[in-house]
Amino acid sequence: MGSLEKFNLIDEPWIPVLKGGRVVEVGIGEALLRAHEFARIETPSPLEEAVLHRLLLAVLHRALSGPRCPEDVLDWWRKGGFPQDPIRDYLNRFRDRFFLFHPEAPFLQVADLPEENPLPWSKLLPELASGNNPTLFDHTTEENLPKATYAQAARALLVHQAFAPGGLLRRYGVGSAKDAPVARPALFLPTGQNLLETLLLNLVPYTPEDDAPIWEVPPLRLGDLEGARTKWPLTGRTRVYTWPARGVRLLDEGDGVRFMGYGPGVEPLEATHRDPMVAQRLDAKGNLLVLRLSEERSFWRDFSAMLPRQGGKVAATLEHAENLQGELEDEGLEGRITLRVLGQVSDQAKVLDIRREVYPLPSGLLTPKAEENLEKALKMAEELGQGLKHLAQEVAKAVVGERDRGHGRSPYLEELTKLANSLPLERLYWHALDGAFPRFFARVEEEASLDLWREALRGAALEAWKATRRFLGTGARHLKALAQGEQEFGRLLGELGEEVRT
């Protein structure tokens, strides 16, 4: 296992970007200095997409000591690139801290973590089967673990340091570890027409004082981390973007990585810091909580929870992008912006899902009219969805009848619930709206948007009801249940405001 200086992330190719319709890998330097040439960071992993942007943003903030104000961002947008010399000077100054393998300071790792009792590198990625990781998209076992390339290992290291959920650790005097900084929240990443625009859209004004990324502070040693000895307040934008949530030492096998030393990282202390990519919602007790992704529902159904009308706080990146979009439109430099919502769904230490949802980012989203329309639209969708859920239960009740009540309540309810849940009514309704929402959202500020949305609701409900009728069958009891349900279905659509024919 070598420990020489090797694979410098500034120069070596490891960040996948889309250029001319092809995916190529570049180093940090090329990604920043030629950002306008690349369409975007291109990776199938939503978590990789998030952390690679956060790393590039951290370098930009420190290299440019800003932006101090939105005008700086506008200036770089007009010029079509970042100031090159400050970025080159900064990367040269900290070049020794960006080696993936280094005897004293391997990037985002701990050089003296013992090699004994190593863990497979696949533990770094939740989508790979390893240890407690459930098998989400992968059936690799630790017995046939493939070797990671250096580029794969570097990306996985970033993902783990940002998204590792807390849980049992039992290493080096630490029984359990806390969540990595963005293990639970949804992350909001506005994207433009090339990588330069995307970085600018997320380059929220920044004050460099009292902050430092991991490569600007002395390298951590095992002694710093044993017994949870090192605790830092969870504050400072670039510090949080490059937080060492776990002690990791990738073990080089000469042409890749199969195992790693593993241990505790820096323990986060609560602070007032707000991650620019994170939004908040107001709970029933008046507390602001970070907005998370849900396993059961698409994010758009919770979109209005972060808006000021409901007491929430939008992500600073979204607000910054919206303001920048307005400035660009005033100058006739209109940009086409989309919003990516990225993150994972977890239950304590288990990651259940990894998600990327993409929406258009309409101009004027944060105006009172757009907020009002969005709130009304989501309320209509939820009310109709609840009505369809109740309808499914009523149809199931009419089919099952009272025949099992004599044998006890539980068997009857179980059969009733099973049949109601098997009906495609509610499921197909929400599935259709997943496709329809972006079209409404793109026009959310317009007066006609609610009429368009109402049509989408009606169409989704009709198709779902037709599918339910086909699903249920043609027995006498089924036809009777459908006939009773037809009346209720018509009433639900009538509440949307217009008479509807089924």
Side-chain angles (χ1 to χ4, degrees):
M1 306 270 181
S3 59
L4 299 174
E5 296 175 1
K6 193 172 181 181
F7 203 80
N8 193 287
L9 300 177
I10 293 173
D11 309 314
E12 298 282 355
W14 69 286
I15 299 174
V17 294
L18 188 65
K19 182 182 181 184
R22 269 190 333 119
V23 177
V24 296
E25 292 185 345
V26 298
I28 294 171
E30 195 173 355
L32 294 177
L33 297 173
R34 298 172 57 194
H36 60 287
E37 298 179 22
F38 308 126
R40 59 179 176 269
I41 289 176
E42 182 73 5
T43 165
S45 165
L47 305 189
E48 272 191 15
E49 183 178 10
V51 295
L52 289 171
H53 282 99
R54 287 165 75 88
L55 174 67
L56 295 179
L57 290 167
V59 173
L60 284 171
H61 281 310
R62 300 304 291 177
L64 303 175
S65 297
R68 297 283 183 156
C69 58
E71 286 70 26
D72 290 342
V73 180
L74 269 173
D75 188 41
W76 298 330
W77 188 294
R78 294 189 198 102
K79 290 177 178 174
F82 299 111
Q84 304 260 310
D85 289 344
I87 293 175
R88 287 197 181 94
D89 292 346
Y90 182 82
L91 291 176
N92 284 334
R93 183 157 32 117
F94 292 101
R95 179 180 173 75
D96 281 351
R97 298 298 301 275
F98 283 89
F99 283 102
L100 193 61
F101 304 101
H102 190 284
E104 299 297 329
F107 177 78
L108 205 46
Q109 301 166 71
V110 180
D112 62 343
L113 268 178
E115 297 182 12
E116 291 76 26
N117 301 317
L119 294 180
W121 78 275
S122 55
K123 179 178 173 62
L124 296 175
L125 292 179
E127 60 265 48
L128 294 183
S130 171
N132 289 332
N133 288 356
T135 303
L136 292 176
F137 314 108
D138 173 75
H139 293 274
T140 301
T141 66
E142 294 179 13
E143 287 72 30
N144 67 358
L145 180 70
K147 196 181 293 183
T149 65
Y150 297 146
Q152 281 179 308
R155 296 193 298 266
L157 174 66
L158 276 179
V159 167
H160 194 69
Q161 298 289 22
F163 288 100
L168 286 178
L169 186 65
R170 291 177 178 162
R171 285 186 173 227
Y172 307 112
V174 176
S176 62
K178 293 190 175 180
D179 282 347
V182 288
R184 315 284 172 182
L187 298 181
F188 294 81
L189 181 79
T191 58
Q193 297 184 69
N194 58 46
L195 180 57
L196 171 70
E197 291 184 6
T198 295
L199 292 171
L200 289 170
L201 289 166
N202 292 278
L203 208 59
V204 179
Y206 166 74
T207 304
E209 292 78 18
D210 302 321
D211 183 26
I214 191 66
W215 53 81
E216 288 191 28
V217 298
L220 291 164
R221 312 289 292 183
L222 176 59
D224 299 321
L225 304 174
E226 286 178 310
R229 193 168 297 148
T230 300
K231 299 177 172 63
W232 293 343
L234 196 63
T235 186
R237 185 177 306 172
T238 66
R239 172 67 56 85
V240 174
Y241 279 2
T242 61
W243 189 269
R246 301 290 184 271
V248 176
R249 179 186 166 198
L250 299 172
L251 302 179
D252 182 18
E253 294 191 0
D255 58 351
V257 173
R258 204 185 305 267
F259 295 98
M260 62 180 179
Y262 193 79
V266 171
E267 192 165 309
L269 299 175
E270 289 297 326
T272 55
H273 172 80
R274 268 196 71 206
D275 190 305
M277 292 188 178
V278 173
Q280 293 175 307
R281 65 176 178 83
L282 202 63
D283 74 359
K285 296 180 180 177
N287 301 311
L288 280 170
L289 305 176
V290 298
L291 208 55
R292 299 182 179 185
L293 296 171
S294 163
E295 188 181 13
E296 294 82 21
R297 49 200 279 161
S298 300
F299 170 75
W300 64 265
R301 292 172 62 182
D302 296 318
F303 221 119
S304 66
M306 65 178 174
L307 297 178
R309 275 177 65 93
Q310 294 195 17
K313 291 189 175 181
V314 298
T317 49
L318 197 157
E319 188 171 15
H320 172 69
E322 222 243 358
N323 291 338
L324 184 58
Q325 190 174 27
E327 295 286 345
L328 292 169
E329 287 175 357
D330 290 345
E331 295 187 19
L333 298 171
E334 184 176 355
R336 192 167 61 244
I337 302 175
T338 57
L339 175 64
R340 294 182 172 225
V341 185
L342 311 167
Q344 62 188 7
V345 181
S346 58
D347 179 9
Q348 297 183 343
K350 286 188 177 179
V351 177
L352 305 176
D353 197 7
I354 296 170
R355 296 257 287 279
R356 174 195 285 126
E357 299 184 19
V358 182
Y359 303 97
L361 184 61
S363 179
L365 171 62
L366 301 181
T367 60
K369 183 62 180 174
E371 284 193 49
E372 182 183 357
N373 285 351
L374 182 58
E375 192 175 313
K376 285 180 179 177
L378 297 186
K379 186 178 178 186
M380 278 194 283
E382 291 296 333
E383 287 179 349
L384 183 53
Q386 285 298 315
L388 295 176
K389 182 177 184 177
H390 177 73
L391 175 57
Q393 293 167 344
E394 291 301 306
V395 169
K397 195 182 296 182
V399 171
V400 174
E402 302 292 323
R403 57 192 167 85
D404 287 324
R405 278 193 183 278
H407 302 290
R409 185 174 176 77
S410 291
Y412 169 74
L413 288 178
E414 284 175 12
E415 185 177 358
L416 194 64
T417 303
K418 189 175 179 181
L419 178 58
N421 290 341
S422 72
L423 297 177
L425 187 55
E426 193 183 1
R427 187 169 61 255
L428 288 187
Y429 167 75
W430 287 117
H431 177 71
L433 293 186
D434 284 346
F437 179 77
R439 294 192 292 276
F440 156 76
F441 193 54
R443 303 177 59 180
V444 66
E445 197 185 17
E446 298 177 20
E447 195 65 39
S449 64
L450 286 178
D451 290 334
L452 293 174
W453 182 242
R454 207 172 274 112
E455 284 301 317
L457 296 179
R458 181 179 298 112
L462 277 169
E463 291 305 313
W465 178 243
K466 288 176 183 174
T468 301
R469 291 165 60 177
R470 291 193 295 272
F471 175 88
L472 201 57
T474 56
R477 189 167 47 184
H478 302 101
L479 292 175
K480 183 179 178 182
L482 285 172
Q484 292 174 355
E486 199 85 27
Q487 190 174 3
E488 173 64 10
F489 182 69
R491 187 190 67 76
L492 289 173
L493 291 189
E495 289 181 351
L496 285 175
E498 293 183 23
E499 184 179 347
V500 176
R501 294 179 180 175
T502 59

